[in-house]
Amino acid sequence: MPAERVEDLLRALAPQVLGALVRRYGHFDTAEDATQEALLAAATRWPGDGLPDDPKAWLITVASRRLTDLLRAEQARRRREDGVGREVPTDRWLAPPADTAPDDADDSLVLLFLCCHPSLPPAGQIALTLRAVGGLSTAEVARAFLVPEATMARRITRAKQRIRDSGLPFAAPAGPERAARLDAVLHVLYLIFNEGYASTAGEQLHRPDLCAEAIRLARLLHRLTDDAEVTGLLALMLLTDARTPARTGPDGMLVPMAEQDRRRWRADRIAEGTRLVGAALPRGAVGPYQLQAAIAALHDEAPAVESTDWPQIVALYEMLLALNDNPVVRLNHAVAVAMARGPRAGLALLDALAADRRVAEDHRRYAARAHLLELAGEPDAAREAYLAAARRSMNLTQQRYLHARAARLGPLPAG
């Protein structure tokens, strides 16, 4: 079996295996170590030997054996766990086998709620979940937080230790406890999807495995709760992912939304997403995910960029800013203003963002500025802005696109 297909399968199975081990044995941090060793063994053996009949069961078996070895080597922890065990009611002494599906929720979703427990600080919740449930490497999580990899490694380690020391049961929360963790869970799913849809670094523009996992978990969450923001987030993911087939050309080059062949967009996802938006919006207070989904629906329902309802999109972004004022929303608002009122109006808003250190040197601000300068008839300034964006992007597909846009406007500097 090709190594690439093995890697894709392992990424999908990793959170399920980790969830099964934590549910059966506890010991979050040690279970993750054992899971990683099982994944390494599979990555080494499966390309040559072929897949076992039940890959998930194989991984759980190998990881369970390794976990047992690790626990035996930690006598102090075992003594502490024995003491805790004596205090547990007798009806909770036995746990189901690790490969038995839980009754109330997918293991990955239970693991997601565990990672988002209030005992962790928000940054730790998100970092640990991206690592344990989303399958991102520590380096990828560090880029999402704009911190050094070593800093993120320490943050994830501290989060795992807190989970271990808390003695939390591996079970889906209910009632008020679920509501208390829901905001963090939604934010984590949002970040996982965004990393999949527009990878921060590497050769791939799109990581469909991460998008699919975020959508899968959002669907599970949607079945567990009727919260309108859960519905909004699922709708946003579907409406955004619908454009994926048209985002790159035959040569792998990025295609901006304005130039995409909208006939290639996934009509089934657009229909489902717009139906979810329509169900969520009339139900009371409107949250940021519902607003973003409404914006995405307006884009997806327009037959062409020229017929998009830009004034309505500007109005929705202004509502979003009132709820969640951050530089990325302001950047998107500036582009919408440019499309509704002319490029000069958008450029004024983008230039004002240069004072915000969080986004001033972000490649997205330079790319948006380049596009608006091009629309305003300033090819030289647009070319310089495209090149500045390319220098700041860590994604190779984005870099190639930005260089190509610059080259269309004039000769590039030597070297």
Side-chain angles (χ1 to χ4, degrees):
M1 183 177 188
E4 294 80 6
R5 290 184 58 195
V6 169
E7 183 179 347
D8 291 342
L9 177 61
L10 293 178
R11 183 180 291 277
L13 291 175
Q16 300 176 42
V17 174
L18 176 57
L21 262 65
V22 177
R23 172 166 51 84
R24 177 63 179 86
Y25 300 103
H27 306 281
F28 185 98
D29 53 343
T30 312
E32 190 188 28
D33 292 340
T35 299
Q36 292 301 317
E37 293 199 23
L39 295 172
L40 179 60
T44 303
R45 293 174 55 178
W46 291 0
D49 297 349
L51 291 182
D53 293 337
D54 189 337
K56 178 180 175 181
W58 188 98
L59 288 168
I60 290 174
T61 299
V62 173
S64 296
R65 290 171 181 165
R66 181 54 182 153
L67 178 62
T68 301
D69 293 341
L70 292 171
L71 292 177
R72 285 173 178 165
E74 298 177 5
Q75 295 299 322
R77 182 181 300 178
R78 290 187 65 197
R79 287 194 294 271
R80 183 173 66 251
E81 294 296 328
D82 288 343
V84 172
R86 285 192 292 271
E87 299 176 3
V88 175
T90 55
D91 61 353
R92 292 178 56 196
W93 282 357
L94 298 178
D99 56 355
T100 299
D103 294 333
D104 55 346
D106 180 274
D107 270 339
S108 299
L109 191 59
V110 180
L111 183 62
L112 179 61
F113 272 103
L114 181 66
C115 292
C116 296
H117 192 271
S119 65
L120 299 178
Q125 293 173 346
I126 296 169
L128 183 58
T129 306
L130 287 172
R131 178 72 182 87
V133 185
L136 275 67
S137 69
T138 301
E140 288 168 330
V141 181
R143 283 194 294 270
F145 279 86
L146 303 178
V147 299
E149 183 176 351
T151 300
M152 183 53 62
R154 290 192 294 270
R155 186 178 298 175
I156 291 173
T157 297
R158 287 195 298 269
K160 290 193 291 186
Q161 288 172 344
R162 284 203 182 190
I163 292 287
R164 179 197 65 195
D165 296 341
S166 70
L168 294 169
F170 188 78
E177 186 182 2
R178 178 186 295 169
R181 293 195 225 172
L182 192 57
D183 285 347
V185 169
L186 292 177
H187 187 45
V188 166
L189 293 179
Y190 182 72
L191 284 177
I192 294 173
F193 179 83
N194 284 346
E195 178 63 27
Y197 191 72
S199 300
T200 54
E203 296 185 4
Q204 292 179 296
L205 174 68
H206 179 237
R207 295 176 60 177
D209 53 341
L210 291 184
C211 288
E213 180 66 6
I215 291 172
R216 186 184 74 84
L217 291 172
R219 287 191 189 280
L220 286 170
L221 194 58
H222 184 246
R223 289 201 292 268
L224 281 176
T225 175
D226 61 355
D227 185 273
E229 276 290 82
V230 174
T231 304
L233 179 59
L234 176 57
L236 173 62
M237 290 179 180
L238 293 170
L239 290 163
T240 304
D241 190 59
R243 306 171 201 143
T244 297
R247 290 183 70 217
T248 54
D251 57 355
M253 185 68 74
L254 186 152
V255 180
M257 189 191 299
E259 301 173 16
Q260 289 174 14
D261 181 355
R262 300 186 177 212
R263 294 170 298 180
R264 298 182 61 199
W265 289 0
R266 294 167 174 156
D268 57 337
R269 298 224 153 176
I270 294 173
E272 183 182 2
T274 52
R275 185 170 63 251
L276 289 168
V277 173
L281 287 176
R283 290 167 50 191
V286 176
Y289 295 116
Q290 295 168 72
L291 289 173
Q292 291 179 76
I295 292 168
L298 287 172
H299 282 300
D300 286 9
E301 291 179 321
V305 66
E306 297 81 11
S307 55
T308 304
D309 190 347
W310 289 108
Q312 179 67 12
I313 289 177
V314 170
L316 288 169
Y317 270 122
E318 289 171 353
M319 292 175 64
L320 184 58
L321 283 169
L323 293 175
N324 186 21
D325 189 348
N326 70 65
V328 175
V329 176
R330 287 198 170 275
L331 190 154
N332 290 329
H333 171 252
V335 174
V337 167
M339 300 304 294
R341 304 171 191 165
R344 295 292 174 191
L347 283 167
L349 295 173
L350 285 179
D351 289 343
L353 282 173
D356 190 326
R357 294 173 57 186
R358 295 172 295 175
V359 76
E361 292 303 308
D362 192 299
H363 78 277
R364 290 170 293 185
R365 190 181 78 85
Y366 281 88
R369 191 169 185 276
H371 175 59
L372 298 189
L373 286 167
E374 189 175 355
L375 292 178
E378 297 187 38
D380 292 340
R383 183 176 64 253
E384 291 302 316
Y386 278 127
L387 293 174
R391 289 193 297 270
R392 287 162 174 81
S393 174
M394 293 186 292
N395 184 281
L396 294 180
T397 301
Q398 291 175 348
Q399 290 174 10
R400 287 193 291 268
Y401 165 75
L402 293 165
H403 278 118
R405 297 293 295 198
R408 287 170 51 180
L409 298 174
L412 299 180

